[in-house]
Amino acid sequence: MIKYVIKSLAYSAVLFVNLAAMGQTSNWKAEWIGLPHAPADTNVWTAYHKVYQLKKIPKTAYAKIATDSKYWLWINGRLAVFEGQLKRGPNPRDTYFDEVDLAPYLVKGKNTIAVLTWYWGRDGFNHKNSGKSALLFEAALGNEILQSDTTWKALRHPAFGHSGPPRPNYRLPEFNIHFDARHDLPHWQLGEAGNGMWLSVMSYGIPPVGPWNHLEKRPIPLWKDAGLVTYENKRDLPAESTGDTIIAKLPKNISITPYLKIDAPGGLKIDIRTDNYKGGSEYNVRTEYITKEGVQEFETFGYMNGHEVRYAIPEGVKILELKYRETRYNTEKVGVFNTDDSFYNVLWKKSYNTLNVNLRDAIQDPDRERAQWWGDAVILLGEMLYACDGNSHLAIQKAIRNLVDWQKPDGVLYSPVPAGSWDRELPAQMLASVGKYGFWNYFRYTADTAMMHYVYPAVKRYLNLWEFGDDGLLVHRPGGWDWLDWGDDIDAPLIENAWYYMALEAATQMAELTGHQADIAGYQEAMESIKLNYNRLFWNGSSYKSPANHGVIDDRGNGLAVIAGLADRTKYDAIKKVLENEFHASPYMEKYILESFFIMGDAEGGLARMKKRYSNMVESPLTTLWEGWGIGSAGYGGGSYNHGWSGGPLTLMHQYVAGIAPDRPGFETFTICPQLGILKEVHCITPTVKGNITVDIKRTDRGITLSVIIPPDSRARVGIPRIAPELSNITCNGKTAVAHEEDHDYYYFEVGPGKWSFALF
């Protein structure tokens, strides 16, 4: 066995404590409070109430709030937080808390604080159950402190209960919502619940205390709440139900909570779900509402997603209002991409729509799993960096820290995390996560050096788990789930060695950045071994194919060989022929195959394959992209129509078609080298940590114009495409200009902040 030399990391208890302590808040005064329940209790809804006399309204009044699993907060009867709390946890033991400014809701004198908590009581692919329902509340009100203690009152909300079957699939910790309005307490938020219903709470202690342990401040914003709005087809919705299911149209696929206001007799059951109730071929979440007598209104608190809401309302019920509330991750679209071919414009838009519903407690799909698979997160990471404002970086940071902070004592990394019912390693996804397209890609775009210091020890420990064989290549590591991609004809040695090579490349750069120079020689030795033997054993003169592969040539492995830098330019023409004829990858790996075309300088080929592969998704009336090339039984893994990994083309359009990519980390310097293929016009805006970059390109038979806006404190190397040999005259801002450098593909200019307009004719 060949073992490359990387010094092992001493994973001391001190280091573990230091990492775990990041983001924690100590010196709590509040107590965890609650009503006792049996350990096996699940789906518990608890209402908390406190009256507080305030002498003076402070300018700010920040409250720290925590529970397991979700909460809703009212101040003086006004809704202040809709669905607070992140799913547990920042690591396998601890719990997040929210910070909320209460000042806009407070009044002088009597203030009523009301909190509704929803305790799931079970693990999921995205949640670690603490085992106990409770509330923690501490607010700094000027010089006064309002804190949860045994003076608070609580009750089990009697209207909530368990739905009948079918119930959400085993991956989800959430339950269906069952609400019987006959047992509702309509004014409980103001303390009006009836004699004897409010009970004294029990104190479970001051943090840090089990089972919630240390508390870490929520690292991402509270949800963007659009409030209650009407459906797209409001005018077509009936005033009285005929008994047929009412289809209420949403503007696109979004995450929502449905609302109704009706006049009905008591005891009727109304079912509320979306068209995506069985998205990914598994049951997700729905709502059962039992009517009371008379006029009533209800909003279900468990979020759903889809293109339409389906209300099954019994015949004769008068429908006064049907509305919905969109809640989403609080980031805004900044990126723009438009070109003269509408196909790519629609694909960009659907990629972004998919990204929008794939952000919540984690980077996750919104339906059957709601789980942070890191292979998906790697691709979504690139999309966020090119399309969203800086709040999206917080979701990336959380995802990175989750992966590192859930690392097993033996060094294994696994996802999805946070998780209570999953702990299996997907080795190839972990290599993608810690490598060139994962952690290091985040650093290239943000220059977040502190994060690289934080993750490097975990990256090093994980890479040390892999071994080399006598052939100088990796020994296959099956992990907990030996998964490389959906689809057939997977050439595992090609894919695995390429991912490890890119992880080593990133580790080398991390080691240099973080002052671990002694590790670099071992990484480089391993990279040299892979590159030499990969080409010696896998290249057959016309393609990469491992001796173990007795099937067809794998497009995935050949594409990865290019983006990893294992294939040199002499092999490009042969590889392009492979990629023009082999189509085995799922949308997950397709992103990397498409990227290889641009790296090989064949934008026309990359755009053509993109159009071939994504035509069904672009032509579909659905507004998001799918897990596979089909939906349901025609797709992979359940056939969800919400899968962020399919949005990789968004990144490629910015990075290669518009040509915008960082040179030095954080866009201190960057390149703008467009690869237009057959496209004639491109308008692109890319957000960066320095500011927005704008690129406008127009090409005609007479030449090309390229206008760019460079943000402050950065410099760009702009490449003017050499579109025809006879075109060589260049102007910059209307004056004759001479390129600083040129090659076969571009005339290059170095420019600083401001607007620059180039013309080649």
Side-chain angles (χ1 to χ4, degrees), residues 649-671:
L650 183 154
T651 300
L652 303 180
M653 291 178 204
H654 285 255
Q655 185 177 357
Y656 293 102
V657 178
I660 303 169
D663 182 17
R664 293 180 59 84
F667 284 86
E668 180 181 346
T669 63
F670 61 93
T671 58

Side-chain angles (χ1 to χ4, degrees), residues 329-401:
Y329 185 92
N330 193 355
T331 187
E332 301 301 329
K333 179 174 73 67
V334 179
V336 174
F337 185 89
N338 285 299
T339 185
D340 56 294
D341 189 329
S342 62
F343 177 91
Y344 303 102
N345 301 338
V346 173
L347 180 53
W348 192 100
K349 184 177 182 179
K350 290 192 176 188
S351 297
Y352 182 81
N353 289 346
T354 311
L355 167 63
N356 181 58
V357 294
N358 273 257
L359 295 180
R360 194 79 179 189
D361 293 67
I363 301 173
Q364 59 184 61
D365 71 88
D367 38 50
R368 87 168 172 272
E369 293 176 318
R370 300 185 176 184
Q372 189 164 249
W373 297 98
W374 247 95
D376 306 46
V378 168
I379 296 177
L380 283 156
L381 180 157
E383 298 173 48
M384 285 186 270
L385 292 169
Y386 274 113
C388 300
D389 67 21
N391 273 355
S392 69
H393 298 182
L394 302 177
I396 299 170
Q397 292 165 14
K398 177 183 181 293
I400 292 173
R401 287 194 56 196

